[in-house]
Amino acid sequence: MTALSPFEKSTSIPIPTEFEIDGMSCASCVARVERAIWALPGVNTASVNLATERATVTFKDVVDIGSVLRAIESAGYQAKTETREFGIEGMTCASCVARVEKALKAVPGVIDASVNLATERATIRLATSAVQTSALETAVRNAGYDVRRLAATATEEPKDHRAAEISKLKALLIVSAALTLPLFLLEMGSHFIPGVHELIMDTIGMRNNLYLQFVLASIVLFGPGLRFFRTGVPNLLRWTPDMNSLVVLGTTAAWLYSVVATFAPSVLPSGTVNVYYEAAAVIVTLILLGRFLEARAKGQTSQAIKRLIGLQAKTAFVSRNGEFVEIRIEDVVVGDLVRIRPGEKVPVDGVVVTGISYVDESMITGEPVPVEKAVDSEVVGGTINTNGVFTFTATKVGSDTLLAQIIKMVEAAQGSKLPIQALVDKVTGWFVPAVILAGALTFAAWFVLGPSPALSFALVNAVAVLIIACPCAMGLATPTSIMVGTGRAAELGILFRKGEALQSLREADVVALDKTGTLTKGRPELTDIDVRDGYAEAEVLQLVASVETLSEHPIAKALAAAAWERGIRVLPVADIQANPGFGIEGSVNGRKVLVGADRAFQKAGIDISRFSEKAAALGDQGKSPLYASIDGNLAAIIAVSDPVKETTPAAISALHALGLKVAMITGDNRRTAEAIARQLDIDEVVAEVLPDGKVEAVKRLRTDGRSVAFIGDGINDAPALTEADVGLAVGTGTDIAIESADVVLMSGDLTGVPKAIALSKATIGNIKQNLFWAFAYNVSLIPVAAGVLYPVNGTLMSPIFAAAAMAMSSVFVLGNALRLRSVNP
């Protein structure tokens, strides 16, 4: 579809919006979707095409994309959506964020838009193919801001636009300060430095002094200060004022009043002929100083992303025609044979073909100990080879590498908005207009009720109100803390896939852990096998291992490995049948073999009471008892034990230190589960849980309004990870588990859980400090600038002090957020 300008939606010509739809297969599907869309209020026309799999919809008045998407889903189909990102230039405060979001949401086809002041990015969710990029860019430009296309891949070095902005601000600040200093000395020196007034009168005279101040102030205002006018004036004319508009109003008012006092003093009432050139110039200089410091601090908040991008190798040695040649990283393709020498960075992801070495993966996992790599080991781009030489086959390149995905995750988390941001968004929409109104009321009150000269008092106090208000601090309070917090987490091997998890993780009451592969190493070992009279141990193990060889379950692999270690050959199996959570059965040389937990034997009607005491003893030792039957007769009891990870006890102690309850969810029988719980000091146990019962277990733990964080690593953990208030996936687990999680622990080390929670608490605490400062600053100082203390003790605020306070308020917020870089949970 050719998307139109966001402002065209109010015209009388209906604007078509197209939706791509998945799942339609026949004419009845088309009719069903059309009926669902037609039923919506405000829909003018709806046409669904089966061949193109698209719905074309026009609206009578207001375009409501969300309702159409919900209607398509309610009809049983799925509308395709996509996400696009742009860099936004020219934003200075929270009002700018609200304005850009409003402009983007007004574009037909846009479902939602989120703009981040700290990252200077817009993330737009829209119906696939419904909006052209040019329509989004036009909407942003019409709102008074500029658009910057982002790098094509996450690991691509971005053009450092922020460095250019810092350099530009530095130059403007130097020029402005150089011109403002003599102006300030000319005006304020006359009042406070003995002899300066006489010196001016005896040399250039008062009239030439005023002319000189006029020239200097005009150059400052319309030279370095022109950047405020370029954004502020158009926004004023659109009736959408921002921070720049406040600066323009305040400085222009002071400058214009001074111009009148200089060139037409007779127009002003007696006793009010004063000039405020120095105020206008100093305000511009101080705000430029604030912007300069703010830009530098913003640059530091994104250091984590820059470091991650810096991990990417620039070149790779790839086999070409039998020789290894150095090529650019962009030219490496899947299937290339890559050589790595000591000290070199691994350029892309792959699998080792030849050689043995140790690779430092600390930059990805946070673990300092190098990991051994041999044939068939996986290597990750961005890690560093330590001492050996090896070759590997490239399996993932470009934006598909783990490093690129990590950068993408971190950027997504940094650009997200937390629920705590909702209050700021509500306030910023009306903040700047309210400040302009407060400035106008201040002027009127002082002009009508103030002492003589009332006009001068009215002007100075109104300018102070306009200048001291700072929506910048409110806009930066949340996103800067998120940027630094998620960046610090990435350095520790903790990836917040969703920014919201920063807030919800802090609120967790219970941490629920899957046992196998999370608390334990996930590599069970056979510890006991006790056979009944009439059965040989080797024979039973051979039959059991033959059946279990066909299963992917860790316990099955342990039994198969035990047979292989003892030199026992497995036999062919027929009629294999696996029952997840129960066991596995099959036919080996005509003999029916069943291996599984006690519930599998209860289901099969096979009595296992003969081994009840043995099972209890094994359970008390933390071992998992299993049973084996041959041709319907109980043959043996088998025990396996999954060693607990070395770091698990310390992680659980750390969770307890944070005041959290720890629960274990496992398919083991209760006796075994409780033995492990006693060993690890776990508070709650949910035992004998079938693979599909973990969701119910999470729901059970959530009773009494408790918030649950669930940690898992397997495919069968994905539903529970989604159901929990916060899902944390162990990075060594399956892709499905990672995709279902809110947080990923790259190292597979459980100590990452308390670290993640501590970081969450620190980040949210930092955000609250920033918000308190931003709101307290504005709530307390705007009335002071208006002069409420004057009747009490004669206190008035100079516009120059107001400018300094405003400039430093956003710098304070940024500086406070940067403290998170040193957090060491």
Side-chain angles (χ1 to χ4, degrees):
M1 170 196 134
T2 301
L4 303 177
S5 161
F7 305 103
E8 293 178 283
K9 67 195 294 182
S10 59
T11 64
S12 58
I13 302 172
I15 301 169
T17 303
E18 292 192 350
F19 301 85
E20 292 190 17
I21 302 172
D22 274 339
M24 296 191 300
S25 58
C26 61
S28 62
C29 300
V30 171
R32 192 174 298 116
V33 175
E34 279 188 352
R35 278 198 304 272
I37 298 174
W38 269 111
L40 296 172
V43 169
N44 190 46
T45 63
S47 172
V48 179
N49 188 309
L50 181 60
T52 61
E53 296 184 325
R54 291 191 178 197
T56 304
V57 184
T58 61
F59 299 85
K60 295 173 184 175
D61 185 15
V62 179
V63 177
D64 189 352
I65 303 299
S67 292
V68 176
L69 294 176
R70 287 190 292 272
I72 293 169
E73 288 178 7
S74 67
Y77 305 93
Q78 189 67 46
K80 294 180 183 178
T81 61
E82 61 178 296
T83 300
R84 295 184 202 167
E85 280 193 330
F86 298 99
I88 308 293
E89 295 183 349
M91 296 189 300
T92 56
C93 63
S95 299
C96 302
V97 170
R99 190 165 302 113
V100 176
E101 283 184 350
K102 184 178 179 181
L104 287 169
K105 288 176 182 177
V107 178
V110 170
I111 301 164
D112 192 24
S114 175
V115 178
N116 189 300
L117 180 61
T119 60
E120 297 177 348
R121 287 191 178 194
T123 303
I124 306 107
R125 183 168 165 257
L126 38 83
T128 301
S129 303
V131 186
Q132 287 190 354
T133 299
S134 58
L136 299 171
E137 293 178 345
T138 299
V140 173
R141 291 191 177 103
N142 286 341
Y145 304 90
D146 216 346
V147 178
R148 185 182 73 257
R149 296 284 180 95
L150 300 177
T153 60
T155 51
E156 187 177 322
E157 284 282 357
K159 292 180 181 177
D160 201 345
H161 69 281
R162 187 161 280 154
E165 175 68 3
I166 291 171
S167 298
K168 186 176 180 180
L169 282 168
K170 184 177 181 180
L172 291 174
L173 176 61
I174 291 170
V175 172
S176 183
L179 294 169
T180 299
L181 183 60
L183 174 57
F184 185 79
L185 292 174
L186 282 172
E187 178 59 28
M188 303 309 290
S190 298
H191 297 292
F192 297 107
I193 302 175
V196 170
H197 178 73
E198 289 76 12
L199 178 63
I200 291 172
M201 294 300 292
D202 293 341
T203 52
I204 61 175
M206 181 54 70
R207 181 55 47 186
N208 288 331
N209 173 39
L210 293 178
Y211 292 157
L212 179 57
Q213 288 191 41
F214 164 73
V215 171
L216 291 171
S218 300
I219 295 173
V220 170
L221 206 59
F222 303 110
L226 189 61
R227 64 188 289 122
F228 304 122
F229 286 80
R230 283 179 177 151
T231 305
V233 172
N235 285 335
L236 272 175
L237 296 176
R238 293 188 193 99
W239 295 97
T240 54
D242 65 349
M243 184 70 234
N244 296 297
S245 304
L246 295 179
V247 175
V248 167
L249 286 173
T251 55
T252 304
W255 181 81
L256 281 175
Y257 187 94
S258 303
V259 168
V260 172
T262 301
F263 298 100
S266 59
V267 174
L268 299 174
S270 176
T272 63
V273 182
N274 302 303
V275 293
Y276 300 99
Y277 290 122
E278 91 290 345
V282 171
I283 287 169
V284 168
T285 302
L286 287 174
I287 293 175
L288 283 173
L289 173 63
R291 294 275 172 91
F292 170 67
L293 295 174
E294 183 181 314
R296 285 183 57 183
K298 275 185 182 178
Q300 293 176 48
T301 62
S302 59
Q303 284 300 313
I305 288 288
K306 290 178 182 176
R307 276 195 289 269
L308 285 171
I309 293 174
L311 293 176
Q312 176 69 62
K314 300 293 185 290
T315 61
F317 284 90
V318 177
S319 178
R320 293 285 188 268
N321 301 319
E323 294 183 8
F324 285 98
V325 295
E326 189 173 15
I327 64 172
R328 294 187 314 146
I329 189 72
E330 294 83 5
D331 297 329
V332 179
V333 296
V334 173
D336 274 344
L337 185 66
V338 184
R339 184 193 67 199
I340 302 295
R341 294 176 297 194
E344 290 181 346
K345 286 183 179 178
V346 178
V348 294
D349 297 358
V351 177
V352 176
V353 177
T354 63
I356 297 176
S357 185
Y358 283 85
V359 174
D360 180 2
E361 298 182 339
S362 60
M363 60 290 298
I364 302 294
T365 65
E367 292 299 310
V369 180
V371 179
E372 183 182 9
K373 300 294 178 182
V375 176
D376 292 335
S377 296
E378 292 186 352
V379 290
V380 175
T383 55
I384 299 174
N385 184 32
T386 56
N387 53 12
V389 177
F390 64 91
T391 61
F392 71 92
T393 302
T395 56
K396 291 181 181 178
V397 299
S399 60
D400 294 328
T401 64
L402 178 62
L403 179 60
Q405 294 301 313
I406 289 172
I407 293 170
K408 195 172 180 181
M409 280 189 209
V410 175
E411 286 181 336
Q414 289 183 342
S416 61
K417 286 193 175 184
L418 304 192
I420 200 172
Q421 178 77 11
L423 174 63
V424 179
D425 291 341
K426 287 179 182 177
V427 171
T428 52
W430 53 261
F431 181 80
V432 174
V435 170
I436 293 174
L437 178 61
L441 291 174
T442 299
F443 183 90
W446 278 94
F447 187 71
V448 174
L449 304 173
S452 182
L455 182 60
S456 296
F457 276 111
L459 175 71
V460 169
N461 291 315
V463 169
V465 168
L466 293 173
I467 297 301
I468 200 163
C470 188
C472 309
M474 290 190 290
L476 291 168
T478 303
T480 49
S481 296
I482 294 173
M483 280 187 73
V484 182
T486 52
R488 177 60 180 146
E491 291 172 357
L492 296 170
I494 302 163
L495 300 181
F496 284 87
R497 293 188 66 246
K498 300 172 186 174
E500 297 86 344
L502 266 173
Q503 186 166 342
S504 49
L505 186 57
R506 168 186 173 273
E507 296 162 356
D509 301 303
V510 180
V511 175
L513 302 146
D514 175 54
K515 191 201 82 171
T516 304
T518 304
L519 284 171
T520 63
K521 293 180 178 179
R523 296 190 296 273
E525 300 165 358
L526 176 66
T527 57
D528 300 83
I529 179 167
D530 189 354
V531 299
R532 287 183 62 185
D533 293 341
Y535 293 95
E537 182 178 308
E539 177 193 21
V540 171
L541 185 56
Q542 182 181 45
L543 294 172
V544 167
S546 298
V547 174
E548 294 288 13
T549 299
L550 301 177
S551 172
E552 288 296 314
H553 195 283
I555 289 178
K557 291 180 178 179
L559 296 175
W564 181 81
E565 287 168 3
R566 299 183 189 191
I568 297 174
R569 181 174 58 88
V570 296
L571 304 171
V573 183
D575 303 325
I576 195 75
Q577 185 177 349
N579 297 297
F582 287 83
I584 189 169
E585 58 184 314
S587 180
V588 183
N589 286 346
R591 306 175 76 181
K592 187 177 180 182
V593 180
L594 170 65
V595 186
D598 50 4
R599 50 182 171 267
F601 283 75
Q602 290 165 8
K603 185 178 178 181
I606 298 173
D607 182 22
I608 56 172
S609 58
R610 176 185 181 88
F611 285 126
S612 57
E613 289 185 12
K614 179 72 173 178
L618 292 170
D620 288 338
Q621 296 169 36
K623 298 175 181 178
S624 300
L626 302 170
Y627 303 90
S629 70
I630 301 172
D631 293 327
N633 297 310
L634 182 65
I637 184 170
I638 303 165
V640 294
S641 177
D642 190 0
V644 171
K645 291 179 181 177
E646 293 82 357
T647 54
T648 294
I652 292 172
S653 296
L655 290 171
H656 283 143
L658 288 169
L660 298 166
K661 294 288 185 183
V662 180
M664 179 177 71
I665 298 176
T666 178
D668 284 344
N669 67 58
R670 178 155 292 279
R671 187 182 289 269
T672 301
E674 288 180 348
I676 295 170
R678 284 193 299 272
Q679 177 187 343
L680 296 174
D681 195 23
I682 289 172
D683 304 296
E684 299 180 46
V685 175
V686 185
E688 300 177 10
V689 176
L690 297 177
D692 57 356
K694 291 181 182 179
V695 169
E696 283 303 315
V698 170
K699 288 179 179 177
R700 224 164 35 238
L701 290 169
R702 202 187 270 134
T703 53
D704 302 326
R706 298 191 302 181
S707 176
V708 177
F710 178 77
I711 297 96
D713 71 327
I715 291 173
N716 60 7
D717 292 327
L721 287 165
T722 304
E723 173 64 30
D725 297 286
V726 191
L728 296 93
V730 177
T732 51
T734 64
D735 290 342
I736 293 175
I738 290 171
E739 282 297 315
S740 303
D742 304 302
V743 184
V744 180
L745 310 174
M746 292 303 297
S747 67
D749 186 344
L750 268 187
T751 55
V753 178
K755 285 179 183 178
I757 294 172
L759 263 172
S760 170
K761 290 177 181 288
T763 303
I764 298 301
N766 191 272
I767 289 171
K768 288 183 175 180
Q769 292 164 7
N770 284 346
L771 287 175
F772 174 80
W773 165 260
F775 281 97
Y777 165 87
N778 284 291
V779 168
S780 60
L781 289 188
I782 288 177
V784 173
V788 294
L789 294 180
Y790 184 77
V792 179
N793 55 18
T795 298
L796 286 176
M797 183 181 290
S798 162
I800 293 174
F801 177 81
M806 190 274 281
M808 291 302 107
S809 63
S810 53
V811 174
F812 173 87
V813 165
L814 285 159
N816 188 50
L818 288 171
R819 292 191 307 114
L820 288 171
R821 291 194 301 176
S822 60
V823 169
N824 189 21

